[in-house]
Amino acid sequence: MCGGIIAENHRSTVQMKIWKSRTRMAGGREVDLHIMGSRKKITTNIFVSLVCFGLVMGRVAAQQLPPTQTPYFQYGKGLEITAPDSLFQMNIRFRMQNRFAFYTPLADKFGIEEIEARVRRLRLRLDGFVYSPRLTYVIQLSFTRGDMDYDVTQFPNIIRDAFVRYQVTDRFSLGVGQTKLPGNRQRVNSSGDLQLPDRSIVNATFNIDRDFGIQAYFIENVYVLRGAISTGEGRNVLSTDAGLAYTLRGEFLPFGHFTNGGDYFEADLMREPSPKLSIGFSYSYNNNTLRTGGQLGHYLHEGRDLKTVMADFLLKYNGLSISSEYINRQTPDPLTFSPQGEVRYIRAGQGENYQVGYLMPSDFELVGRYSRLVPMPEIRQFERDVREFTLGLNKYVKGHRVKLQTDITLQQQESFLDGKDSRRQLITRFQIEVGI
């Protein structure tokens, strides 16, 4: 039975009747193939062992308790286990995305140049409460190479979320640990709740991802505020200097809240009966960051201060969803140099993303997206002006939990070096997602 369980779901949905607020967490090197295989095997063994351990311990505990003290199991948003005294609850969920992608350069010789065939994401998620529904936790683990940032960290960076939150009042909560920062909306959305197989190139370049620190959440009618003070160095860093990251996000929902938290999953699966609108703004200041993307990327040769401004918009009504994002990242001096003259730089600049989708009564959805990425002048000798035009088709079998997705993208990369080294290519992707 243990061999049939695989990993992860999307955002933190803790079932608490008294919780009325809608706060949310919201250059490769050659390596020995034998070592890589061993590490993959170790990672797989860790994953299987965790699942098996949880099931075995649950079974043993149930066998040792009298009939009146048997833990209560139910299936809703995952497999839910509640202690007989109601002092502990755990939801077990998993998610996997299997993908094929084909890259076809638009050059003199037309043909597929690269094929991507892999498990894009494989995750296991545990969430619930301890002692009181006000004291909640979320643990999320990842098990694929790309999801572990292996090419950057060179070790299995399995832990994505390990966060504890206390609901101080119905409107205010505090949390500590590692999780997503309150950045741009598309990044805070779960990767399992997207209208296309992946997020935009703007998000991929400028998002502030996850970090370890303290977060606060406050909601007042149609206003939502979130803030965080964190290390500024990203996931699973052993230590850092005195430079920290400070993030603040505000949201305004003039027509009231979305059905079932629909402002934090893409596509209008709830088919909102009246228009719902959310306008968000985020600001992040990362003092003396040591990585090319702040909380992400390769390590710089010197620390740099980083400012990121993010604004987003979302409208949903009767199956129609329209969203957009703008992100601007700046630093006084993006270039850093090693004693040998090697250059590493902050990926600074600006980007814009526009996305629209319509969900038909048959649960098929048509999606279109336009994205543009413009690097700041100081790094244009290394980066290009990138535009993407994407058309996608989805079939929702069980909402975002079970769905089929395909899209085709025309990508244009324009060089700033007198038009040299410009590129155009077609990217076609097919993806199936299964989870609970």
Side-chain angles (χ1 to χ4, degrees):
M1 293 176 62
C2 295
I5 296 187
I6 331 176
E8 194 280 304
N9 196 295
H10 75 307
R11 64 182 184 281
S12 176
T13 47
V14 179
Q15 294 182 345
M16 297 192 308
K17 293 182 180 179
I18 63 172
W19 191 346
K20 298 180 181 179
S21 66
R22 43 161 228 80
T23 56
R24 266 183 191 69
M25 305 298 301
R29 299 178 297 179
E30 293 186 2
V31 295
D32 189 287
L33 292 178
H34 176 72
I35 295 176
M36 288 174 56
S38 299
R39 286 174 175 169
K40 290 179 180 178
K41 184 175 181 180
I42 290 172
T43 302
T44 303
N45 289 342
I46 291 173
F47 169 64
V48 175
S49 299
L50 284 170
V51 177
C52 291
F53 177 77
L55 292 177
V56 171
M57 292 304 294
R59 181 178 297 178
V60 170
Q63 291 174 349
Q64 291 177 346
L65 291 171
T68 57
Q69 298 183 22
T70 301
Y72 176 61
F73 292 80
Q74 71 174 3
Y75 178 79
K77 295 180 178 179
L79 175 62
E80 181 182 299
I81 305 172
T82 305
D85 56 6
S86 298
L87 293 180
F88 172 79
Q89 185 179 93
M90 179 171 66
N91 266 321
I92 303 175
R93 293 184 280 172
F94 76 87
R95 166 164 65 92
M96 61 178 168
Q97 294 176 345
N98 294 337
R99 177 184 300 177
F100 288 96
F102 306 91
Y103 299 82
T104 307
L106 298 179
D108 295 336
K109 183 179 180 181
F110 183 83
I112 296 175
E113 182 179 71
E114 180 182 346
I115 297 176
E116 173 188 338
R118 59 169 172 155
V119 181
R120 175 61 181 90
R121 294 178 177 92
L122 176 62
R123 297 187 185 173
L124 176 68
R125 179 188 175 106
L126 310 174
D127 61 62
F129 65 82
V130 180
Y131 297 121
S132 166
R134 289 186 178 272
L135 182 61
T136 62
Y137 66 90
V138 58
I139 299 169
Q140 185 172 202
L141 310 176
S142 57
F143 298 95
T144 63
R145 181 185 180 106
D147 228 10
M148 294 188 292
D149 301 328
Y150 184 91
D151 292 335
V152 174
T153 62
Q154 293 300 302
F155 72 91
N157 200 353
I158 294 175
I159 301 173
R160 298 190 74 82
D161 297 295
F163 195 74
V164 178
R165 180 163 60 184
Y166 182 68
Q167 193 75 26
V168 182
T169 69
D170 287 348
R171 298 178 179 178
F172 178 69
S173 64
L174 288 170
V176 61
Q178 177 176 288
T179 192
K180 290 180 179 178
L181 293 173
N184 61 301
R185 187 185 304 273
Q186 192 173 73
R187 184 66 189 94
V188 179
N189 286 346
S190 169
S191 58
D193 291 340
L194 304 178
Q195 290 176 294
L196 294 167
D198 232 323
R199 300 181 179 96
S200 73
I201 53 174
V202 177
N203 174 89
T205 305
F206 295 137
N207 83 88
I208 57 176
D209 196 52
R210 289 171 165 86
D211 212 351
F212 187 96
I214 300 171
Q215 297 200 23
Y217 310 80
F218 178 76
I219 181 171
E220 176 65 34
N221 296 323
V222 296
Y223 299 97
V224 179
L225 289 176
R226 308 179 187 189
I229 301 176
S230 58
T231 66
E233 308 302 338
R235 297 195 287 135
N236 305 318
V237 175
L238 294 179
S239 62
T240 183
D241 58 23
L244 300 176
Y246 308 88
T247 306
L248 182 66
R249 178 172 175 82
E251 297 173 21
F252 175 51
L253 297 88
F255 305 140
H257 294 281
F258 289 64
T259 305
N260 290 338
D263 48 337
Y264 275 96
F265 58 80
E266 295 186 351
D268 185 16
L269 298 182
M270 298 296 103
R271 305 182 191 275
E272 295 285 358
S274 61
K276 292 296 170 62
L277 174 67
S278 178
I279 301 171
F281 177 85
S282 299
Y283 175 79
S284 177
Y285 173 70
N286 197 332
N287 177 231
N288 201 42
T289 182
L290 300 174
R291 304 180 73 174
T292 57
Q295 288 81 2
L296 294 167
H298 292 276
Y299 285 92
L300 300 166
H301 299 301
E302 303 173 72
R304 289 289 187 267
D305 292 346
L306 196 61
K307 298 178 182 178
T308 307
V309 176
M310 296 157 274
D312 54 70
F313 159 94
L314 174 66
L315 172 69
K316 288 187 176 182
Y317 175 56
N318 196 28
L320 175 68
S321 58
I322 303 173
S323 62
S324 66
E325 289 188 335
Y326 171 80
I327 306 180
N328 185 297
R329 171 172 289 169
Q330 297 295 326
T331 183
D333 181 10
L335 304 178
T336 68
F337 300 88
S338 71
Q340 295 75 30
E342 179 191 6
V343 180
R344 287 188 180 175
Y345 54 90
I346 294 285
R347 298 194 69 186
Q350 62 182 0
E352 53 190 311
N353 182 64
Y354 306 93
Q355 190 165 305
V356 60
Y358 179 70
L359 182 65
M360 294 175 277
S362 59
D363 288 331
F364 279 94
E365 182 186 36
L366 286 173
V367 185
R369 180 165 75 192
Y370 168 75
S371 305
R372 187 182 182 189
L373 195 60
V374 182
M376 68 183 300
E378 290 84 346
I379 63 171
R380 289 181 180 178
Q381 57 183 311
F382 309 107
E383 297 284 334
R384 301 181 181 90
D385 182 333
V386 183
R387 303 170 191 249
E388 286 192 347
F389 305 83
T390 301
L391 183 63
L393 176 66
N394 302 320
K395 170 58 179 176
Y396 296 99
V397 180
K398 184 67 174 177
H400 279 297
R401 302 290 67 79
V402 182
K403 62 186 177 185
L404 302 172
Q405 296 179 291
T406 183
D407 69 356
I408 183 168
T409 296
L410 171 62
Q411 184 185 82
Q412 299 177 338
Q413 301 183 26
E414 301 295 336
S415 172
F416 292 95
L417 304 176
D418 298 325
K420 298 179 181 178
D421 201 27
S422 297
R423 302 176 185 176
R424 298 173 70 233
Q425 67 173 344
L426 287 176
I427 305 171
T428 307
R429 297 181 290 192
F430 303 90
Q431 182 168 286
I432 179 172
E433 173 152 352
V434 176
I436 61 172

